[in-house]
Amino acid sequence: MSQTKKYAAEEWDHQYAEVNGITIHYVQAGANKAKPILLLHGFPQSWLIWRDLIPKLAEDHYVLALDLRGYGDSSRPEGIDAYDNEQMAADVHGLVQLLELEHIAMIGHDRGARIARRYALDYPEKLAGVGLIDILPLEYIYDHLTAGEAAEKYWHWIFQVVPDVPEALIEGKEEVYLEFFFKRSPHLMEAFKADGAWEEYLRTWQKKGSVQAALNDYRASYRVDLPKYRENSRTKKR
């Protein structure tokens, strides 16, 4: 039986870029810049979610897996207004411009899929295509999801937009909160602990400002992004 390959930071090509007034951390692999693929992670994760997929994609593509602002080893700017989808899509666009990439295939999971959606609205000329994984439209979640449905899987969409209380309950218990989300998927925690990903996720989740940044991400979605998407839906902007 083959042994699980352990995560080792030094085996990856880690890079940092100054874009849109902040520092973005990303991992790159592959040499075919004519076929770039950009990967955007979800909450409460980082680029590391793609670690098993990157080597396969890199066989025929140039692959970028970045940490969204507020997550991983990217900057954690202060304030709710720093985390709206337009700002975060502009971070990605800044990196795309810096690396002079064209015709990007962009794949987003969860929060990353929301940024990919915004990117497709704001910068469609750069895209070859977009894949959105594991999301419902933001306006559906807040305007149509029942309380029963929310209680099952989307309770944190309500909890994390409440002022002050989430910080008081999560800070100092980051490990408990993070582990709860990962344990929702059967055997995921076991896999993370086997290959060392758990320690890496916990390291970045316990960095100063991480909890506040994640909460501001959700608060910005509710207060800033939701009205914009409602208007996009009304005007049928696609």
Side-chain angles (χ1 to χ4, degrees):
M1 181 181 294
S2 62
Q3 291 184 331
T4 300
K5 181 175 173 58
K6 299 288 282 188
Y7 168 74
E10 65 274 9
E11 294 181 4
W12 297 88
D13 185 358
H14 295 268
Q15 299 291 329
Y16 294 84
E18 301 298 318
V19 295
N20 199 26
I22 65 166
T23 301
I24 290 291
H25 166 256
Y26 64 96
V27 165
Q28 62 181 358
N32 188 359
K33 288 199 172 183
K35 296 174 67 177
I37 293 181
L38 203 153
L39 306 173
L40 304 177
H41 65 86
F43 167 87
Q45 297 172 321
S46 69
W47 75 271
L48 200 61
I49 188 178
W50 309 107
R51 65 196 180 283
D52 293 329
L53 185 61
I54 291 171
K56 297 179 177 66
L57 294 176
E59 292 174 3
D60 192 42
H61 298 271
Y62 173 62
V63 184
L64 284 177
L66 60 85
D67 290 336
L68 299 172
R69 65 163 63 194
Y71 296 90
D73 286 312
S74 290
S75 293
R76 288 151 171 70
E78 296 181 0
I80 294 172
D81 290 341
Y83 290 89
D84 68 273
N85 283 181
E86 287 186 9
Q87 286 268 31
M88 296 172 83
D91 296 343
V92 180
H93 184 58
L95 184 59
V96 166
Q97 288 183 306
L98 183 68
L99 298 176
E100 299 180 340
L101 301 177
E102 301 286 345
H103 309 300
I104 306 149
M106 185 176 293
I107 302 171
H109 170 253
D110 187 60
R111 305 302 295 175
R114 301 189 184 284
I115 308 309
R117 179 193 184 190
R118 187 74 253 173
Y119 194 103
L121 284 166
D122 294 346
Y123 310 104
E125 70 282 355
K126 292 288 185 182
L127 290 172
V130 178
L132 309 178
I133 304 170
D134 283 350
I135 66 165
L136 294 170
L138 183 64
E139 58 274 27
Y140 175 84
I141 290 173
Y142 283 115
D143 293 342
H144 302 291
L145 206 66
T146 68
E149 289 173 311
E152 284 290 319
K153 287 189 176 180
Y154 283 85
W155 60 268
H156 60 291
W157 281 77
I158 311 302
F159 170 68
Q160 293 184 169
V161 303
V162 174
D164 303 325
V165 173
E167 291 92 323
L169 296 177
I170 299 170
E171 289 178 351
K173 295 184 174 63
E174 293 92 344
E175 182 172 356
V176 175
Y177 200 61
L178 183 64
E179 190 170 3
F180 172 82
F181 284 101
F182 288 154
K183 280 187 171 179
R184 295 192 303 178
S185 297
H187 312 300
L188 186 61
M189 274 298 297
E190 292 91 334
F192 282 176
K193 289 183 176 180
D195 74 357
W198 168 246
E199 289 81 2
E200 177 63 8
Y201 276 130
L202 189 58
R203 177 188 71 80
T204 57
W205 184 240
Q206 290 180 326
K207 290 180 71 170
K208 182 179 179 181
S210 293
V211 171
Q212 190 67 64
L215 295 175
N216 284 341
D217 184 11
Y218 279 80
R219 289 164 179 166
S221 285
Y222 181 68
R223 299 179 190 179
V224 182
D225 297 315
L226 180 57
K228 294 178 182 178
Y229 285 126
R230 284 170 174 158
E231 179 62 16
N232 291 159
S233 294
R234 188 189 67 79
T235 60
K236 302 187 185 305
K237 181 179 180 180
R238 300 187 185 281

